[in-house]
Amino acid sequence: MRGVAAVPSYVVMQPTTLCNLDCAYCYLPLRAADRRMPVPVAEAVAASVNPWASAGRFSVVWHGGEPLAAGREHLAALMAPFAPEVEHHVQTNATLIDDAWCDFFQEHGVRVSVSVDGPRERNDDRVTRAGRPAYDRIMRGVSVLRRRGLPFSALAVVSRPRAGLAAELYDYFLDLGCDVLGINIEETEGVNTRGNAHDQADVTAFWAELVAAWRREPRIHLREIEWSLRYAAAVLDGVADDLLPRQLDPIPTIGHDGSVTVLSPELAGFTDPRYGDFSSGNVLESPLAEILAGAERTPWVGEFLAGVEACRDTCPYFGFCGGGHAANRYFELGRFDGTETEHCRNSKIRLLEGVLEHARDHQ
């Protein structure tokens, strides 16, 4: 795996910067402002995406802010330029979901992922702009999805990983009814400056317990655990080198203004005296395909790729993680060419160690 691919497997689109919640761990800098994506931005993106979609599976992920805050009419206008082959996904806090939104999801074939952190008491960081708990509003939206029979994924942020929590979370999401679950240990990035260093044993025990809970009743696709098991199996079979792609997926994030930020959506909207606004171009000025073909010429991207090579040379977990994420390096280390971060330790190293610890304990 070397360099950045010219063709992504999906793009992230920001229909609005606005979010109706004010979560304590959110990294987004402009979530109090309603800056909406103009339709010409979507048309410019679709001009590159539609040929890619005709050649194979391709997704557009609508991610704000809160994408539903853009409204159904505007979101429909942004989706209209994309070919029928394109899969649309939305990452939402679910507080705005009602029957009209469910009609919209069905009409446009939108796949829904809900952000919720577990039982009520695990959602203290998820509050409205008035500082009130958002949990009941989230659950109202989820109940509409369930009543309408619409499948949905879930994404949970864990701020304090430890033994005893993982089984509770897994049981909660079994009852919630999601079919896919992703677990993100809170990250220090963007405007979230809270520390994310945790005791090594606590984090490893959290992941090991999550594996055990999933193996008892594997009704949910558990993103992190299933990838870890695939990697472990590939190592045993001697084919681990075949798991990572030959090049990094550029994961282009299209900001509300058409700016294109590659590799880490979390960098969009930020500026730095050394790197500028992190963008590699703007789709209103150049085709997305052309921007991605030249993405490695973006100064910070070259620095990040040097860091990836440093990881390859020094880290025994490189085959599992592939060099980490650019935003974590930047916001934790202040540079892109550093190596190990707290995110690496929490969500890569301890994850794999937790899976292996579970395997050793259940031989």
Side-chain angles (χ1 to χ4, degrees):
M1 187 180 71
R2 298 182 188 275
V4 180
V7 177
S9 59
Y10 64 100
V11 300
V12 180
M13 301 278 283
Q14 187 181 54
T16 178
T17 58
L18 179 67
C19 187
N20 59 328
L21 298 188
D22 193 20
C23 301
Y25 50 64
C26 183
Y27 62 85
L28 292 166
L30 300 172
R31 62 184 186 271
D34 188 7
R35 301 184 183 180
R36 297 194 180 189
M37 177 179 284
V39 171
V41 170
E43 292 172 339
V45 174
S48 290
V49 163
N50 289 343
W52 294 333
S54 68
R57 185 176 181 181
F58 198 93
S59 299
V60 172
V61 179
W62 299 92
H63 194 302
E66 167 51 50
L68 303 193
R72 287 184 293 279
E73 183 176 342
H74 188 60
L75 198 54
L78 294 175
M79 290 180 175
F82 292 95
E85 295 85 1
V86 173
E87 295 180 4
H88 292 281
H89 299 250
V90 64
Q91 185 66 47
T92 175
N93 60 40
T95 60
L96 301 176
I97 293 178
D98 55 14
D99 280 299
W101 271 113
C102 288
D103 291 340
F104 179 94
F105 298 149
Q106 289 179 314
E107 178 183 353
H108 295 276
V110 178
R111 305 182 184 200
V112 179
S113 179
V114 173
S115 298
V116 60
D117 299 336
R120 181 186 302 275
E121 61 273 17
R122 303 296 178 197
N123 284 265
D124 290 346
D125 286 331
R126 301 184 61 75
V127 297
T128 67
R129 298 222 146 264
R132 299 189 181 93
Y135 185 75
D136 287 339
R137 295 175 61 184
I138 296 169
M139 287 302 100
R140 281 199 296 271
V142 170
S143 69
V144 179
L145 290 172
R146 295 182 61 171
R147 174 168 54 79
R148 293 291 298 267
L150 292 180
F152 63 95
S153 303
L155 183 62
V157 174
V158 174
S159 296
R160 292 169 291 278
R162 62 189 184 280
L165 175 59
E168 172 194 313
L169 285 177
Y170 188 74
D171 289 344
Y172 171 85
F173 285 105
L174 280 176
D175 291 339
L176 190 70
C178 61
D179 52 10
V180 179
L181 174 61
I183 300 288
N184 288 347
I185 294 181
E186 182 179 341
E187 301 168 37
T188 301
E189 61 186 3
V191 298
N192 178 25
T193 58
R194 304 196 310 188
N196 64 336
H198 303 287
D199 179 77
Q200 171 183 340
D202 284 345
V203 182
T204 303
F206 171 82
W207 289 119
E209 183 179 278
L210 189 61
V211 181
W214 176 77
R215 289 193 66 193
R216 283 195 299 270
E217 196 168 357
R219 287 195 284 116
I220 296 176
H221 287 292
L222 194 47
R223 184 184 64 183
E224 289 75 17
I225 301 306
E226 293 186 21
W227 164 247
S228 303
L229 293 173
R230 280 183 60 203
Y231 176 76
V235 170
L236 292 174
D237 291 339
V239 294
D241 289 345
D242 297 335
L243 280 183
L244 293 177
R246 296 300 92 188
Q247 292 180 298
L248 289 166
D249 193 319
I251 317 174
T253 295
I254 317 302
H256 67 95
D257 58 355
S259 59
V260 180
T261 306
V262 298
L263 296 172
S264 283
E266 298 84 0
L267 292 170
F270 289 91
T271 59
D272 181 277
R274 292 165 293 169
Y275 310 111
D277 64 2
F278 298 106
S279 72
S280 296
N282 191 297
V283 296
L284 295 177
E285 300 169 359
S286 304
L288 178 59
E290 182 179 305
I291 292 171
L292 296 184
E296 291 187 29
R297 293 193 294 272
T298 306
W300 73 262
V301 173
E303 185 178 299
F304 170 70
L305 292 176
V308 171
E309 292 308 307
C311 284
R312 187 195 308 274
D313 293 340
T314 61
C315 182
Y317 297 88
F318 180 83
F320 177 63
C321 132
H325 301 292
N328 298 112
R329 293 174 191 236
Y330 174 74
F331 289 113
E332 288 195 37
L333 306 176
R335 296 187 58 82
F336 291 100
D337 56 1
T339 53
E340 190 173 305
T341 63
E342 293 295 346
H343 173 70
C344 292
R345 300 181 187 103
N346 293 333
S347 299
K348 304 296 182 182
I349 296 172
R350 308 308 176 219
L351 165 59
L352 186 57
E353 289 178 346
V355 170
L356 296 177
E357 180 179 293
H358 170 82
R360 285 192 296 268
D361 291 344
H362 292 81
Q363 286 181 339

